[in-house]
Amino acid sequence: MFSLDWIYYAISWILLTWHSAWDAIGVPVDAVIGTNFAWILAIIFLVVTVRVILFPVFVKQIKSQRAMQALQPQVKALQEKHKGDRETLQKEMMELYRKEKANPLMGCLPMFLQIPVFLGLFHVLRRLDPAKQAKTLYGWSVEQFDSASNAKLFTAPIAGKFGSTADELARLGANGTTVKVIAGILVLVMMGTTYLTSRQMILKTGWAEDPQQRMIQRLMLYGIPLSLLVSGAIFPIGVIIYWVTNNLFTLGQQQWVLRKYPPPPTATSKATSGARNPVQPAKTGGLFGRSKPAPQAPAKATAPKVAAPKPGAKPSNPKKGRPAKRQG
């Protein structure tokens, strides 16, 4: 059976290293404002460590998306050519991707590579229970384990979760209401930042022409944030801190990369046209996709009307009105 112990050891080592670093530079180990900042910063810089390692993969993701956008006219032509024949269409599209060295799955690769990190942190923090006997597992010392078990964010333990049982809260010495409030707020922030990261990318790169790619985009935009409303109840607070920090890091990183590797003009125009309604892009034209009014044909020039002279008024040119004199 495949073991994930190496992930648990790696996550534990990064957490403990950063915690020791913050302790060494004088960050208080004890709670300040109900928060153990050394452990909170250790989780935040776990994100920084992972994102620095995955940065080259993220750049490849952006370049792959650019390549996919450049192929959209050819993909659309194939869809028209093989309309109603999905099997042939899929073969032709895969051959096109192979020939042009474009990978449709590259867009999801950074997220998939972070799943083991997320699962590792989830497992490590879930073990932070004072009742555990094997405290030295994954390279922890007893002192480090006890310190992390008592670590809090505004008096809510980082090992606590929205769905913690009364027994779990009692072992952690936590107040159930406080844990639910802190965890609930963090879950909402997690959902919001997850939505924003997906929306930022779609607005910058545009909606895909390929129906499968568009379905993946919609899943990323709406499906994942909504799923967090349910799954967030089983996440320890420390894991939610990791997720929110990761989303904020992604927002900043995407902004930098998208400026350095700007999307093609076609993608930019589509992104702008869809800014008002990301699911159903607005019609192109005008600011934010608003339709410009059709230009009206210029009115035909008409001859100026000459006003008739008023009764009794002298003619403007009396010479023209006089009869010519006869020559004698």
Side-chain angles (χ1 to χ4, degrees), residues 34-273:
T35 303
N36 298 87
F37 286 101
W39 283 111
I40 301 299
L41 287 173
I43 295 173
I44 290 174
F45 277 80
L46 168 64
V47 175
V48 175
T49 304
V50 173
R51 295 310 295 264
V52 168
I53 294 172
L54 294 181
F55 184 75
V57 179
F58 185 81
V59 174
K60 287 184 179 180
Q61 175 197 21
I62 298 295
K63 290 182 177 180
S64 176
Q65 288 176 337
R66 297 292 183 272
M68 293 294 296
Q69 289 168 0
L71 294 177
Q72 288 309 309
Q74 298 181 55
V75 170
K76 195 169 184 180
L78 288 175
Q79 290 172 345
E80 292 293 331
K81 180 180 178 181
H82 303 290
K83 198 172 184 179
D85 188 354
R86 294 187 60 86
E87 184 177 353
T88 305
L89 175 62
Q90 290 298 323
K91 288 181 180 179
E92 292 286 342
M93 288 178 59
M94 295 310 297
E95 178 62 24
L96 175 64
Y97 294 150
R98 185 195 64 79
K99 181 180 177 181
E100 300 295 335
K101 298 181 180 179
N103 188 353
L105 298 179
M106 181 60 72
C108 302
L109 185 58
M111 182 185 70
F112 287 141
L113 291 178
Q114 291 184 73
I115 290 176
V117 179
F118 174 81
L119 294 176
L121 182 63
F122 179 84
H123 179 79
V124 169
L125 294 184
R126 191 177 57 176
R127 291 191 66 258
L128 295 179
D129 187 339
K132 292 283 186 183
Q133 297 298 322
K135 296 183 179 182
T136 57
L137 196 61
Y138 308 134
W140 291 68
S141 67
V142 174
E143 182 182 1
Q144 289 170 331
F145 187 93
D146 290 338
S147 174
S149 298
N150 294 319
K152 295 177 174 61
L153 174 67
F154 301 120
T155 71
I158 62 173
K161 50 187 180 292
F162 190 90
S164 291
T165 63
D167 290 340
E168 290 172 341
L169 293 172
R171 291 197 298 270
L172 293 171
N175 179 278
T177 302
T178 302
V179 171
K180 281 182 169 53
V181 170
I182 298 298
I185 292 174
L186 286 175
V187 167
L188 293 178
V189 175
M190 177 173 63
M191 292 174 62
T193 52
T194 300
Y195 169 79
L196 289 176
T197 54
S198 298
R199 184 174 183 271
Q200 181 191 53
M201 181 61 71
I202 292 173
L203 291 181
K204 291 289 184 180
T205 60
W207 285 91
E209 295 288 344
D210 180 21
Q212 291 184 345
Q213 292 292 315
R214 183 176 287 245
M215 183 178 66
I216 293 175
Q217 287 179 320
R218 293 192 183 192
L219 176 63
M220 297 286 291
L221 186 63
Y222 294 113
I224 293 179
L226 288 175
S227 69
L228 295 175
L229 186 62
V230 178
S231 58
I234 65 173
F235 293 163
I237 288 175
V239 171
I240 304 178
I241 294 172
Y242 171 89
W243 193 304
V244 170
T245 305
N246 185 66
N247 286 343
L248 295 175
F249 197 98
T250 300
L251 285 170
Q253 185 172 269
Q254 282 182 171
Q255 187 67 22
W256 182 85
V257 173
L258 289 169
R259 284 183 179 180
K260 189 172 180 63
Y261 302 99
T266 54
T268 306
S269 61
K270 289 179 183 179
T272 306
S273 66

